[in-house]
Amino acid sequence: MTITGLAEPFLRAQLESLGLAVEYVRAEGDTLYRRGDDGRELPVLDLVGGFGATILGHNHPEILALAQELLSARVPVHAQFSLHPYAETVARRLNEILHRDTGDPGPYTAVFANSGAEAVEAAVKHAELDRGLKAAELLARIDEETDRARRAVRDGAVLSAAARRLADGGDFESLAAALTAANRARAEEPPVLLALTGGFHGKLVGSVQLTHNPVVREPFRALAAPCRFVPAEDPAALAAAIAEEHRTALGLTVSDGTVDLAEHRLPRLCALVLEPVQGEGGVRPLTAGYARELQRICAEADCPIVVDEVQSGMGRTGSFLASSAIGLRGDYYVLAKSLGGGLAKAAVMLVHHRRHRPGFELLHSSTFAKDAFSTLIAARTLDLLEADGGARYRQAAERGERILARLEGIRDDFKDVVADVRGRGLMLGLELRDQGDSTSPALRELSRAGVLGYAAAGYLLHAHALRVFPTASATTTLRIEPSVHITDPQIAQAESGLRALCDLLRTQDGDRLLAR
Ligand code: PMP
């Protein structure tokens, strides 16, 4: 007896109801092939691209050949606690690219992982290690200040009025004890993690706290440190949140024979985590003006910035990093998805040397991370992106412009149906208007259930052999993230499918949307 439906049966049922329960049997370039009823392969133009993982397309021939070569050569996948020259190569290349694109010589230390969420968590863990060590260093400095003050009191110094109040009218040792207790209580307050509303950083226990969408975050909010969300593009809100979280530790100064209290900033801000182009939040690029302001605010507060380029990086927006194009510099960068060339599971977190804590590599590790197979593929992927003086980045920008122009044409022709068209390079989104008040009961229901974008995806798949998905947290925005190799005829196919979808929404033809 064969038991079926054990692998995520709920998801399967949802896919079935939306016409998305198809099996893909082969993938090449921007095409996925599914098996038709007669057994033949049917090509589908894939604009989802592994949620941004296929900047070079599916099964790129050079990456595929390298993978086959590596397997034939029996390259070790498991050689933990030995030298990893391949990982070193990837780290060096990434440093060269970062230096060139940001002007910051770094260097950045690389910590490898298997997925985007895992690499985001590695960055946050590192930031918390750094914060904790900085707090401990501050408390040790305050202990030294206290010893100095103790010696001064023995030599005749007196306590200031504020110091006497803290000592509850007592002597120097009461003051020292009160100071230690107050500082310890403040240092034990939980860290403050900041992220932007609309942001997406993964779904693991820690990273899901940074993912704004309450549907995926809230059931798990008790499992890890919560995050404070601030609205994107609002520097004043960021500054206000940081000011509100400001805490001080108390130290002692001695001057002119008087021991007085001194305030030191206690490191409380673990990190601000953000995407330069919010992907799952509906493809929303941050502006250069906001980047400049948030950089200044974070520098003043000594708050590290984790730039999550899991989806926007690897050339997708027309430069290796989307952040460098808006002048944003990270203390940390996170890359995944396309780093594995569409074939391997590879992710990396990069931490700037001014924050790097050497012991971290022993505190954080993962069995499969940094293996020769995935890092050699990542290195070749970087080679391919960087080849011909960065031709792939220019190609991403040029293909992106061309698609954007088509999308803008659709928006102009269907203003009643399309709310907006946004994005950079090959990270584009087309936002449909809500159909909650549609005259078609089917459209009304789909819209109110938050699945209109998925139903549109089912229609585009069956009627136009197009694979388009909504973004995870903004489900009326259709994501368009093909590879740099997308051709003009493929762009035309995408345009005609999207125009047909808009036409159907304009005529409120819900039945046709659901017809298979
Ligand atoms: N960060 C961003 C910006 C992402 O888009 C994603 C995935 N959509 C993640 C993190 C999580 O990556 P993964 O699914 O590989 O864990």
Side-chain angles (χ1 to χ4, degrees):
M1 184 182 75
T2 311
I3 302 173
T4 57
L6 295 179
E8 305 190 293
F10 180 76
L11 180 61
R12 189 191 168 109
Q14 296 270 311
L15 292 176
E16 268 161 14
S17 74
L18 295 161
L20 295 168
V22 295
E23 182 190 346
Y24 292 103
V25 292
R26 201 161 64 84
E28 222 170 338
D30 285 289
T31 306
L32 278 165
Y33 294 86
R34 68 189 184 99
R35 187 82 64 205
D37 293 338
D38 59 359
R40 278 189 305 148
E41 284 185 352
L42 301 174
V44 173
L45 173 59
D46 181 21
L47 300 179
V48 180
F51 304 133
T54 59
I55 189 69
L56 296 174
H58 291 278
N59 290 312
H60 184 279
E62 267 193 59
I63 304 278
L64 198 61
L66 174 64
Q68 284 163 338
E69 225 173 87
L70 295 174
L71 293 176
S72 301
R74 290 164 174 67
V75 162
V77 171
H78 296 291
Q80 297 86 353
F81 277 105
S82 66
L83 295 180
H84 282 72
Y86 325 114
E88 195 55 41
T89 304
V90 174
R92 203 182 54 248
R93 293 227 173 102
L94 288 171
N95 265 285
E96 286 160 7
I97 297 170
L98 257 58
H99 186 186
R100 180 194 67 207
D101 287 3
T102 68
D104 189 332
Y108 287 82
T109 299
V111 175
F112 288 83
N114 308 280
S115 71
E118 194 189 323
V120 165
E121 295 202 4
V124 170
K125 277 181 71 182
H126 186 285
E128 178 57 4
L129 176 71
D130 186 35
R131 187 192 76 85
L133 290 172
K134 281 200 175 110
E137 286 154 13
L138 173 62
L139 294 184
R141 272 203 312 281
I142 289 177
D143 282 347
E144 285 167 19
E145 287 178 11
T146 308
D147 279 346
R148 256 197 311 277
R150 182 177 284 115
R151 287 195 295 277
V153 167
R154 270 190 218 126
D155 292 344
V158 295
L159 304 188
S160 71
R164 269 201 311 278
R165 266 197 306 282
L166 188 69
D168 215 7
D171 58 2
F172 180 82
E173 290 313 321
S174 323
L175 169 66
L179 202 77
T180 305
N183 284 341
R184 192 161 296 155
R186 291 180 197 187
E188 278 172 8
E189 273 194 76
V192 175
L193 271 164
L194 296 165
L196 303 185
T197 52
F200 186 101
H201 301 288
K203 289 182 176 172
L204 295 181
V205 164
S207 49
V208 79
Q209 313 296 336
L210 307 166
T211 291
H212 183 237
N213 184 355
V215 176
V216 296
R217 175 172 46 84
E218 290 215 327
F220 311 105
R221 67 175 188 274
L223 286 179
C227 167
R228 181 168 179 162
F229 292 97
V230 292
E233 297 299 325
D234 186 348
L238 175 65
I242 286 181
E244 217 178 285
E245 302 292 358
H246 178 74
R247 297 288 185 281
T248 54
L250 292 175
L252 295 174
T253 55
V254 185
S255 116
D256 295 334
T258 302
V259 171
D260 207 349
L261 300 178
E263 292 205 322
H264 302 280
R265 179 166 64 199
L266 192 63
R268 261 203 100 206
L269 300 168
C270 176
L272 167 65
V273 186
L274 53 80
E275 300 153 271
V277 180
Q278 294 192 330
E280 304 304 336
V283 190
R284 296 181 183 277
L286 298 186
T287 62
Y290 179 58
R292 197 167 44 245
E293 283 299 288
L294 78 86
Q295 190 99 59
R296 183 184 57 74
I297 294 164
C298 287
E300 270 169 21
D302 193 27
C303 176
I305 301 175
V306 176
V307 180
D308 180 347
E309 294 260 11
V310 164
Q311 192 160 162
S312 57
M314 301 296 297
R316 177 155 295 282
T317 65
S319 47
F320 182 77
L321 298 169
S323 51
S324 69
I326 52 168
L328 178 65
R329 281 198 199 167
D331 297 273
Y332 297 80
Y333 289 97
V334 186
L335 294 163
K337 294 197 192 264
S338 284
L339 180 65
L343 210 64
K345 293 175 187 175
V348 70
M349 165 288 254
L350 296 152
V351 47
H352 197 284
H353 87 105
R354 72 176 165 260
R355 300 216 180 251
H356 179 236
R357 297 285 181 169
F360 185 71
E361 285 106 280
L362 293 177
L363 297 175
H364 181 89
S365 63
S366 168
T367 303
F368 280 87
K370 206 168 76 170
D371 67 286
F373 183 78
S374 68
T375 47
L376 280 163
I377 287 182
R380 182 65 61 88
T381 305
L382 292 173
D383 282 350
L384 289 171
L385 287 177
E386 288 280 310
D388 309 323
R392 295 294 92 72
Y393 308 131
R394 292 191 292 280
Q395 202 174 340
E398 185 275 328
R399 294 283 87 187
E401 290 280 314
R402 186 168 287 240
I403 301 172
L404 184 63
R406 302 296 176 95
L407 296 180
E408 284 171 346
I410 297 175
R411 179 201 56 200
D412 293 347
D413 292 345
F414 291 92
K415 286 207 166 80
D416 49 328
V417 169
V418 178
D420 196 13
V421 160
R422 299 180 286 271
R424 261 200 211 118
L426 291 168
M427 192 167 176
L428 299 167
L430 178 141
E431 185 183 345
L432 298 172
R433 287 193 192 282
D434 179 68
Q435 295 289 333
D437 295 323
S438 169
T439 54
S440 148
L443 290 182
R444 223 166 37 231
E445 210 176 294
L446 289 166
S447 199
R448 288 180 187 173
V451 294
L452 179 71
Y454 290 97
Y459 162 77
L460 290 169
L461 173 63
H462 291 279
H464 298 276
L466 262 188
R467 185 169 142 89
V468 175
F469 263 5
T471 51
S473 303
T475 55
T476 49
T477 298
L478 300 180
R479 140 206 343 259
I480 293 153
E481 298 191 32
S483 84
V484 294
H485 301 297
I486 188 164
T487 62
D488 287 346
Q490 287 173 322
I491 294 174
Q493 180 191 342
E495 182 184 8
S496 91
L498 288 169
R499 279 185 178 275
L501 169 72
C502 290
D503 198 44
L504 177 160
L505 291 173
R506 171 174 283 169
T507 54
Q508 300 282 286
D509 195 346
D511 294 339
R512 199 144 59 87
L513 188 80
L514 293 172
R516 301 283 173 256

